[in-house]
Amino acid sequence: MDGKVIVVTSGKGGVGKTTVTAAIGAAMAMQGKRVAVVDMDIGLRNLDVVMGLENRIVFNIVDVIQGKCKIKQAAVKDRRIDNLFLIPASQSHEKNVIRPENMIWLAGKLRKEFDFTFLDCPAGIEQGFKNSIAAADEAIVVCTPEVSSVRDADRVIGLLYARSIKPRLIINRIVPKMVENGDMLSHEDVLDVLSVDLLGLVVMDDKVVVSTNTGTPLVMQKDSAAGSAFQRIGLRLDGHPDLPIENPMGQKGFWKKLGAKFSRKN
Amino acid sequence: MKDTENQPVKLKGVGDSLHVAIDPTQSIDTLRQSLSRTFERLKHLAINAKVIIDPGEDADCDGLIDELGQFLKDTFAVGMVSKPQPRKRSDNQERIREQDIGNEWHHYRSEALIIAGRVRSGLNIRAKNHLVILGDLNPGAEVYAGGDILVMGSLLGKAAAGQPDNETAIVMALEFKPTQIQIGGLVAAGITESGASRPEFAYVENNEIVVDDYVKGNPFRQLGWPEVR
Ligand SMILES: Nc1ncnc2c1ncn2[C@@H]1O[C@H](COP(=O)(O)OP(=O)(O)OP(=O)(O)O)[C@@H](O)[C@H]1O
Ligand SMILES: [Mg+2]
């Protein structure tokens, strides 16, 4: 059976696409899936750095598309997790060297090799975004509880719907204390505006930075709240779609998907 | 029209006000005496009552009405005194209304674009005439309509009604928190709301966009006849 190609996108930059891609990729590989993560940020690659693989890169995605190497040659195997492979971006090319039709071709190959392929989309809605969504079967939209991030996520969700790609949402960098004090949007506020299926809620967690700096996958770190949220997201993406979403606000009880939002009656 | 029974004053009807027909050709003293007789019979019913003094078709007797009104107020403590509202009804209008009833309004066509779903940031929608959105209009979304814009949900984006120059158009939303409203050529920046999410609507009054509670201020309630918009 063919695998799935899932684009990770956000509109706004710096909200956690690369973090999400690396963490979910690792989580699902550890669940036994064959996973590729693809850095779509041509000219500004950094997924390799986050995964601690930059010194192993020989070929990159542009080489694959230009026929200079096979996917297997370009795919860098993770140091610790079997089944997890990185297809790095090219650092030296312009982003316009890749066209949507190239990505459709590449995605066809990737579906044959991997159970899940995650495309780490660059910020914005220009060429890199268009390339990434051209080939995607599904989309994960990442946003933070900030008005500008929600606005951009909304825009991207609209563009995904226009392509008949159904998006699911991860709200990242939630700071429960700030939400409690009314200084940060709650995830309910965000969902009120975006009204899409929720895939997970991820808190702000220092371990994310530790993970990036040491190259240790977040999901392998003990006691990482963000890491365990990503593990659960991995399960939701593969066979456990109804796994309850933990409320980072620590309120009693779990809530499932979007349901609880609408049962809230004032 | 002359009063056939030759009475200078006649109490025509008692609805929520007293309708008094007078014969303006009579002297003011005759009228006063006549009114006194009539109002004495009413006793306490006259107190604070709304009174309409009707001098008949052709008369221009505002001065007379004022004087008699003051007399009634002083003597019988009646409330407001006014002259009858001019009857605007024309034969034409009557015919139209009969048609409306006969056809159950089926002969009309009112153009509206009705859309169900969420209008997201970056989307623009343009309706020739009215626009109805069964859903929310997100921040960053913009809608334009030649006529009214009715949002059966939250209005958080920008809505421009009555484009380009119809200032009788309204913008209504169940939750009214727009970033910007335009009606005809007028623009108003969104008002940061108190928080109460009641249905509200924006309309133009004295060359200004005003927002009011829709249920309380519904401007169409006052229309006596269901008109096509
Ligand atoms: N849950 C989190 N807790 C703490 N820090 C986080 C979290 N998620 C992301 N970060 C940090 O936020 C920064 C931006 O994250 P990341 O690089 O993943 O965003 P991005 O969306 O890929 O950015 P770009 O648009 O530039 O590609 C990084 O420094 C990352 O370590
Ligand atoms: Mg990134």
Side-chain angles (χ1 to χ4, degrees):
Chain A
M1 208 183 73
D2 275 6
K4 263 186 201 158
V5 176
I6 302 175
V7 60
V8 180
T9 183
S10 68
K12 189 172 160 64
V15 300
K17 294 177 293 295
T18 301
T19 305
V20 164
T21 306
I24 300 181
M28 297 191 74
M30 286 170 73
Q31 289 159 27
K33 298 291 159 188
R34 258 180 91 72
V35 179
V37 292
V38 183
D39 193 340
M40 294 297 294
D41 209 343
I42 308 299
L44 264 178
R45 74 181 185 207
N46 59 30
L47 184 56
D48 54 325
V49 180
V50 169
M51 294 173 75
L53 296 174
E54 61 180 322
N55 54 8
R56 303 188 176 201
I57 295 174
V58 181
F59 295 110
N60 59 55
I61 184 171
V62 176
D63 296 325
V64 179
I65 282 169
Q66 295 181 342
K68 292 186 182 147
C69 70
K70 300 267 178 245
I71 290 179
K72 281 207 174 77
Q73 293 170 280
V76 183
K77 194 181 150 315
D78 190 74
R79 286 183 291 154
R80 295 158 218 254
I81 305 173
D82 295 336
N83 296 335
L84 178 60
F85 295 86
L86 163 72
I87 299 181
S90 161
Q91 191 71 292
S92 55
H93 286 93
E94 293 279 314
K95 35 184 170 244
N96 299 346
V97 299
I98 302 184
R99 309 287 316 158
E101 50 273 25
N102 303 138
M103 283 310 297
I104 292 167
W105 170 83
L106 182 65
K109 301 266 178 208
L110 290 166
R111 284 190 198 94
K112 297 269 186 274
E113 299 270 343
F114 300 97
D115 300 317
F116 287 91
T117 299
F118 293 95
L119 307 178
D120 180 13
C121 186
I125 52 175
E126 289 89 35
Q127 191 65 50
F129 170 77
K130 286 177 186 151
N131 288 340
S132 305
I133 65 169
D137 304 308
E138 293 177 13
I140 294 174
V141 173
V142 184
C143 80
T144 60
E146 290 166 85
V147 172
S148 60
S149 170
V150 173
R151 181 77 62 94
D152 288 1
D154 192 35
R155 175 88 173 107
V156 160
I157 289 166
L159 293 170
L160 289 165
Y161 270 117
R163 305 291 297 254
S164 293
I165 303 171
K166 194 177 171 212
R168 281 184 283 183
L169 185 71
I170 292 178
I171 307 177
N172 187 28
R173 303 181 67 150
I174 299 171
V175 184
K177 260 246 125 47
M178 290 182 72
V179 178
E180 217 164 88
N181 296 339
D183 295 327
M184 185 180 261
L185 297 174
S186 71
H187 58 268
E188 286 104 336
D189 293 336
V190 175
L191 286 169
D192 266 346
V193 171
L194 298 181
S195 66
V196 283
D197 281 356
L198 187 62
L199 190 56
L201 301 172
V202 183
V203 291
M204 185 78 111
D205 183 353
D206 292 344
K207 296 272 167 54
V208 173
V209 182
V210 175
S211 160
T212 311
N213 291 340
T214 61
T216 324
L218 189 60
V219 288
M220 284 182 138
Q221 304 224 3
K222 292 224 173 354
D223 316 318
S224 164
S228 68
F230 284 121
Q231 267 168 350
R232 296 167 69 84
I233 289 170
L235 290 167
R236 263 174 227 122
L237 283 170
D238 179 38
H240 303 85
D242 291 332
L243 185 70
I245 289 171
E246 261 175 288
N247 188 340
M249 297 306 292
Q251 277 152 18
K252 227 177 78 200
F254 292 142
W255 51 292
K256 253 187 166 189
K257 287 195 147 180
L258 267 178
K261 177 166 99 73
F262 296 112
S263 59
R264 223 175 6 111
K265 283 206 186 83
N266 303 319
Chain B
M1 190 182 74
K2 284 266 157 326
D3 200 292
T4 42
E5 288 160 70
N6 235 352
Q7 278 176 285
V9 163
K10 197 173 148 201
L11 190 63
K12 279 223 288 209
V14 185
D16 67 341
S17 55
L18 303 173
H19 192 124
V20 190
I22 59 166
D23 179 356
T25 56
Q26 302 287 327
S27 77
I28 186 147
D29 282 321
T30 319
L31 289 171
R32 269 210 201 97
Q33 281 165 23
S34 217
L35 279 172
S36 289
R37 275 199 302 278
T38 311
F39 274 73
E40 258 152 26
R41 267 180 280 145
L42 288 171
K43 296 197 175 119
H44 66 277
L45 283 179
I47 296 169
N48 263 333
K50 265 203 287 179
V51 179
I52 295 166
I53 299 180
D54 184 0
E57 292 285 27
D58 44 11
D60 178 14
C61 359
D62 288 1
L64 180 65
I65 291 172
D66 284 348
E67 226 175 301
L68 291 175
Q70 201 52 54
F71 166 73
L72 287 177
K73 282 180 189 166
D74 294 345
T75 323
F76 298 101
V78 304
M80 212 174 69
V81 181
S82 57
K83 59 180 177 178
Q85 292 304 311
R87 285 177 53 180
K88 275 188 290 195
R89 210 180 81 194
S90 65
D91 289 350
N92 192 27
Q93 194 175 49
E94 208 166 317
R95 213 179 50 244
I96 291 171
R97 292 184 176 185
E98 266 162 28
Q99 252 175 29
D100 289 349
I101 294 177
N103 296 320
E104 298 178 332
W105 279 259
H106 189 70
H107 55 303
Y108 287 114
R109 194 158 287 169
S110 173
E111 204 181 304
L113 176 62
I114 306 182
I115 281 177
R118 184 174 286 270
V119 185
R120 295 185 184 276
S121 175
L123 281 183
N124 287 5
I125 293 175
R126 280 171 201 278
K128 252 197 213 99
N129 196 10
H130 305 303
L131 175 63
V132 180
I133 295 173
L134 308 173
D136 294 354
L137 187 78
N138 277 4
E142 301 180 1
V143 294
Y144 301 83
D148 302 328
I149 295 173
L150 313 178
V151 181
M152 302 294 137
S154 304
L155 169 55
L156 308 172
K158 172 181 156 183
Q163 297 304 300
D165 54 11
N166 171 11
E167 289 185 356
T168 65
I170 67 158
V171 178
M172 192 274 264
L174 299 187
E175 189 188 30
F176 194 91
K177 293 179 179 170
T179 22
Q180 191 194 89
I181 292 289
Q182 291 182 17
I183 297 178
L186 299 174
V187 186
I191 321 125
T192 355
E193 264 307 295
S194 48
S197 58
R198 286 177 268 98
E200 291 183 303
F201 74 113
Y203 61 102
V204 174
E205 193 179 71
N206 300 329
N207 222 25
E208 231 182 10
I209 296 181
V210 195
V211 177
D212 196 2
D213 185 302
Y214 184 74
V215 176
K216 289 202 194 103
N218 181 344
F220 307 116
R221 265 214 302 245
Q222 278 132 31
L223 291 178
W225 191 254
E227 284 174 13
V228 172
R229 209 159 149 84

